[in-house]
Amino acid sequence: MKQTMRIAVAFVIIAIAAINISFCKGSSSVGCLQSERLALLRFKQDLIDPANRLVSWTSGVEDCCTWSGIVCDNLTGHVLELNLRTPPKKEYSSPTEDDARERSKLNGKVNPSLLDLKHLRSLDLSDNNFGAEIPRFLGSMQNLRNLNLSLNSFQGMIPPQLGNLSNLQYLGLGGKLREMSPWWLSPITLSTLDCLWWSSSFPFLKHLDLDGVDLSNCSDWLLVIHTLPSLVVLKLSHCELHHFPPQPVANFSSLAYLDLSGNHFVGPIPDGLQNFTSIRHLDLSENHFNSSMPSWLYRLRNLEELFLSYNSLQGSMDGLGNLSSIKVLDLSQNNFEGGMPESFGRLCNLRSISLSHVILKQEISRVLNIFSECVAEVVESLDFGLTHLFGPLNNQLGLFKKLKSLSLYYNSISGPIPRSLGQLSSLEIPLLANDQFNGTLSEIHFNNLTRLKVFGASRNSLMLKVGPQWRPPFKLLYLGLGSCHLGSHFPFWLHAQMSLVYLDASNSNIFDTIPQYLFKFPLKFLNLSHNKMYGEIPNLIKPTQLRVLDLNSNNLTGPLPLIPLKIRVLDLSNNALSGSIFHVFCNEMNKSKSLIQILTLSYNFFLGELPDCWINWQKLEVLNLENNKFTGTLPPSVGTLISLQSLNLRKNNFFGELPMSLQNCTKLVKLDLGENEFVGNVPVWMGERFSRIKILILRSNRFQGLLPRELCHLTSLQILDLAYNNLFGNIPKCIGNFSAMMRESEMDDDIQYEFDGVYQSFYMEDALLVNKGKMAEYDTILKFVRMIDLSKNNLSGEIPIEVTDLLALQSLNLSHNSLIGRIPEKIGAISSLESTDFSGNQLSGEIPQSISN
């Protein structure tokens, strides 16, 4: 009898093991139930599946347990899991792969037929494009253990019905994506009626993700979280939190992962966090903490990952050396003092450290010495960008055998790059740009770097010297060699780098034609500016991933190439391009909407009239056609450029009156029409419609009539240049209303425009201005310039005393008019004034004593 029972028990154990194995594989020997199969087909009907991910979901396949994303119970055939999450992004994916992944995301409606899956334990619809509100019926699916709706576009309030899911162990509702340049899906707006109290009935909940959910009206959020006794992971990043409640009586002994980044906490790091005694991952980055480090933090012995970046923390970092378990430490963008402490050499488990934008003021060799004992054996990422490091980089770098990422950009590190860089066989990302490196880079620096994906060394004094037959052992995604000497011809070894997304070979002494093969690469960013490239630009109309193309300052000739619709930035200025641009702006292709934001064609030989086809270019923010041979009047369709912020038509042969439609360009920050043949009055509507304008240059035209009083409404104006026209009448007394000329210039931002490229970049505005009798170009200091030039007109009357209210004015030129009376007695109040010219008028009286100020 006992023997029989042993055999029976053994059979049961074997059967259970077989069930477990079968269940893990997601198969079912029974087959799914007909009712659940039909429910899944109804669910599919309301989905939009652009990549046909659910091709296996068909009425022709009877067993739905074999469909993709379905896991069934082996004994009963009930559907237990439904996983339709978009497959994760690869670590080093190409732009083509990224676009394909984005297009593969499901969207549409979540059909209530899911209620017929009464045994469903796990529902994962994350990382798709489902919108509208979260379906309330999900709160009736009582058997759910895991519900993941994160990384979608859900709107409205989280339905409190989800509180009925008392068996939940995992709940994901977050909307945040962490990419190279983070971006946000639309956040969910929580009801302020019950805050998070609907979640307090989850006794088994271990993982709660509310990243990006608006909790700004939820002051007692910590008390609610305290009611979740099993919680291990809590994600509350970018939730608009601003108040850290008083600490509860009990501690959070189970919580291991806490993310409070991107909120609005102010002051010291809350002492209540010391009760999270089991915490292993703590993220407090992107807040407003401004104290020194609390001593209790060093007692969190289980802490493995600590993120404190983008705060204003002060004092010494020395105590952090007591965190013996720490593996990831991010202290970047803070105000720590005292440099890298010796205690960091005790962090023997450290895998990654970031101190970018923390002022260290130490020799690079000293910093590496601190890590050279036990840390060098294990560390994988060192980020010391913008930390004021100096001195030579020596061969001790070769000790860091497992190093994958090294960031030393924007420092004063000097000398040659050591050959030991070539010994780091794990290295993937070295960022060495904007230092003071010099000497030669040769094959020995690269031959063992088989995993290299990124190499950034722009703006150093390096020379790349490799053999003509050299074949790199790596496939790069990002290559920055701007200002490095690459040889007279385009490097042949680049031909094999067919995965390149970013290439900067600007100012590299290249004397060659543009290789055709570059436009077969998946490049999104290509900068070949400030070289000696010659010949014609290859036609870009073929399918291309290019978003940014900079060929500024070369010797390129020929016509303007066709512009791909997807390109965002095109800079072809300072070349010898010629001919009409009509074929580019008015061809059949461009009847579609162009995405270009910045177009600069200045300093070429383009000619003819401007085409009247601007209606399809409404994303355009910067248009610079300066110093060409364009002629004719401005076409009315220029007024359809409603996104335009900068228009520069200086030094052409335009004539006629300005079109009334130009007043529709209300976002203009800069308008430069200087050195043309425009006629008519200065339009009154400029003062009424251009409220954002900072730079207005109409010099050297044939404008006539009175100076409109309406220009005084331009309170953002920093530069007004109306010189060399035929204006007459008085200077309006309201000139003192230019409030931007009253402020301290340091308070103003750069005049620049962010553009949507593969990497966050900016176009910096410049301007040609006459100061102290000489014309000069202003760019990086343009934001500090305050100037009025009304010279060479026929203005009359007295100089208005109100001009002395412009305390930040630096240059005032009223010369060669017909002004009378005295120089204002209070002229000395303009303490910033560097240059003033009143010559060629009919002024009288004494020079004011205050001018000595």
Side-chain angles (χ1 to χ4, degrees), residues 322-532:
N322 296 320
L323 297 176
S324 56
S325 298
I326 204 75
K327 293 181 179 179
V328 178
L329 183 59
D330 188 350
L331 306 174
S332 56
Q333 295 277 357
N334 278 288
N335 302 323
F336 294 117
E337 303 155 2
M340 173 82 69
E342 296 282 340
S343 63
F344 278 20
R346 302 196 300 265
L347 302 178
C348 295
N349 291 304
L350 194 66
R351 300 295 187 271
S352 172
I353 183 169
S354 178
L355 286 166
S356 66
H357 292 77
V358 173
I359 297 178
L360 298 179
K361 291 186 178 179
Q362 291 170 292
E363 284 192 281
I364 180 61
S365 59
R366 182 68 196 138
V367 169
L368 293 181
N369 269 337
I370 292 172
F371 289 110
S372 62
E373 293 186 14
C374 63
V375 181
E377 297 294 324
V378 294
V379 74
E380 297 177 358
S381 177
L382 296 174
D383 183 358
F384 302 134
L386 268 164
T387 53
H388 292 214
L389 294 177
F390 57 91
L393 183 64
N394 56 39
N395 280 319
Q396 67 189 141
L397 187 64
L399 298 174
F400 295 80
K401 299 295 185 183
K402 293 188 177 180
L403 199 62
K404 293 182 179 180
S405 176
L406 175 66
S407 297
L408 300 176
Y409 55 88
Y410 279 99
N411 283 293
S412 299
I413 303 172
S414 57
I417 294 177
R419 291 188 172 190
S420 59
L421 181 65
Q423 300 170 17
L424 305 178
S425 58
S426 297
L427 195 62
E428 297 177 1
I429 305 175
L431 299 177
L432 312 174
N434 293 86
D435 274 292
Q436 297 175 13
F437 291 116
N438 55 37
T440 300
L441 283 174
S442 63
E443 297 174 23
I444 199 168
H445 288 90
F446 296 102
N447 280 347
N448 293 323
L449 304 185
T450 58
R451 299 183 182 181
L452 204 65
K453 299 296 180 184
V454 170
F455 186 74
S458 294
R459 287 166 292 284
N460 285 288
S461 299
L462 293 166
M463 175 180 290
L464 187 61
K465 193 173 183 179
V466 295
Q469 303 303 317
W470 182 60
R471 295 294 181 271
F474 44 74
K475 297 292 184 184
L476 292 174
L477 295 174
Y478 175 112
L479 178 58
L481 291 174
S483 299
C484 299
H485 184 74
L486 302 183
S488 58
H489 294 290
F490 210 84
F492 182 78
W493 58 267
L494 274 176
H495 196 284
Q497 300 300 307
M498 300 184 66
S499 299
L500 272 178
V501 174
Y502 180 107
L503 175 59
D504 181 0
S506 60
N507 193 28
S508 298
N509 296 307
I510 299 175
F511 182 74
D512 208 339
T513 58
I514 300 175
Q516 292 271 0
Y517 64 79
L518 285 179
F519 300 102
K520 297 179 181 178
F521 290 178
L523 283 168
K524 286 192 173 182
F525 184 105
L526 176 59
N527 186 354
L528 301 178
S529 65
H530 297 86
N531 281 293
K532 299 174 183 176

Side-chain angles (χ1 to χ4, degrees), residues 23-52:
F23 179 80
C24 289
K25 292 182 179 179
S27 61
S28 171
S29 60
V30 176
C32 72
L33 303 182
Q34 178 70 1
S35 61
E36 297 186 3
R37 178 173 167 275
L38 293 175
L40 288 171
L41 288 174
R42 291 199 304 274
F43 172 72
K44 179 187 177 183
Q45 285 178 350
D46 282 350
L47 297 182
I48 299 173
D49 181 13
N52 214 12

Side-chain angles (χ1 to χ4, degrees), residues 197 219-228 245-249 252:
W197 288 106
S219 60
D220 54 356
W221 59 273
L222 191 57
L223 296 176
V224 181
I225 300 304
H226 181 59
T227 65
L228 304 174
Q247 62 191 69
V249 177
F252 288 81

Side-chain angles (χ1 to χ4, degrees), residues 531-551:
N531 281 293
K532 299 174 183 176
M533 311 295 292
Y534 59 88
E536 295 191 5
I537 303 171
N539 202 324
L540 304 177
I541 197 57
K542 295 178 181 178
T544 176
Q545 299 288 336
L546 265 180
R547 300 293 183 270
V548 179
L549 177 60
D550 190 349
L551 300 175

Side-chain angles (χ1 to χ4, degrees), residues 669-670 694-695 716-719 739-753 763-767 769 777-787 808-810 832 834:
V669 174
K670 172 187 173 180
K694 295 183 178 183
I695 301 173
S716 298
L717 201 63
Q718 296 174 206
I719 296 167
S739 54
M741 300 186 189
M742 303 177 191
R743 297 193 302 264
E744 291 295 328
S745 56
E746 288 80 1
M747 300 298 293
D748 291 286
D749 297 326
D750 287 321
I751 304 174
Q752 60 185 15
Y753 317 102
Y763 170 85
M764 176 95 46
E765 192 61 80
D766 59 18
L769 303 173
E777 183 176 0
Y778 292 78
D779 42 41
T780 55
I781 65 168
L782 184 60
K783 66 176 179 178
F784 300 114
V785 179
R786 302 293 185 272
M787 178 181 293
L809 194 64
Q810 295 162 321
S832 300
E834 299 173 3

Side-chain angles (χ1 to χ4, degrees), residues 145-297:
R145 269 70 163 174
N146 302 318
L147 176 60
N148 193 353
L149 305 176
S150 59
L151 304 181
N152 276 287
S153 305
F154 287 115
Q155 302 281 331
M157 297 181 184
I158 296 177
Q161 289 84 352
L162 295 185
N164 298 329
L165 304 178
S166 57
N167 292 314
L168 275 185
Q169 297 177 19
Y170 183 110
L171 178 59
L173 303 174
K176 188 176 69 167
L177 289 179
R178 291 195 179 212
E179 302 287 351
M180 185 175 292
S181 296
W183 62 282
W184 282 83
L185 299 173
S186 300
I188 307 169
T189 303
L190 278 176
S191 166
T192 56
L193 180 63
D194 57 4
C195 190
L196 286 170
W197 288 106
W198 53 268
S199 68
S200 60
S201 56
F202 296 150
F204 308 113
L205 193 67
K206 296 181 179 179
H207 186 119
L208 179 59
D209 178 0
L210 296 176
D211 282 345
V213 175
D214 187 350
L215 298 177
S216 56
N217 294 320
C218 189
S219 60
D220 54 356
W221 59 273
L222 191 57
L223 296 176
V224 181
I225 300 304
H226 181 59
T227 65
L228 304 174
S230 303
L231 200 62
V232 176
V233 175
L234 176 59
K235 297 183 177 183
L236 296 176
S237 173
H238 291 83
C239 290
E240 302 294 326
L241 293 171
H242 50 82
H243 173 64
F244 199 93
Q247 62 191 69
V249 177
N251 62 24
F252 288 81
S253 58
S254 65
L255 198 68
Y257 186 110
L258 176 62
D259 187 350
L260 294 174
S261 62
N263 284 293
H264 304 293
F265 298 118
V266 179
I269 296 175
D271 289 337
L273 290 174
Q274 64 186 302
N275 292 327
F276 295 70
T277 53
S278 298
I279 201 76
R280 294 198 301 271
H281 176 109
L282 179 60
D283 192 342
L284 302 177
S285 58
E286 298 179 61
N287 278 286
H288 304 282
F289 296 121
N290 57 12
S291 64
S292 57
M293 301 295 292
S295 58
W296 56 259
L297 183 67

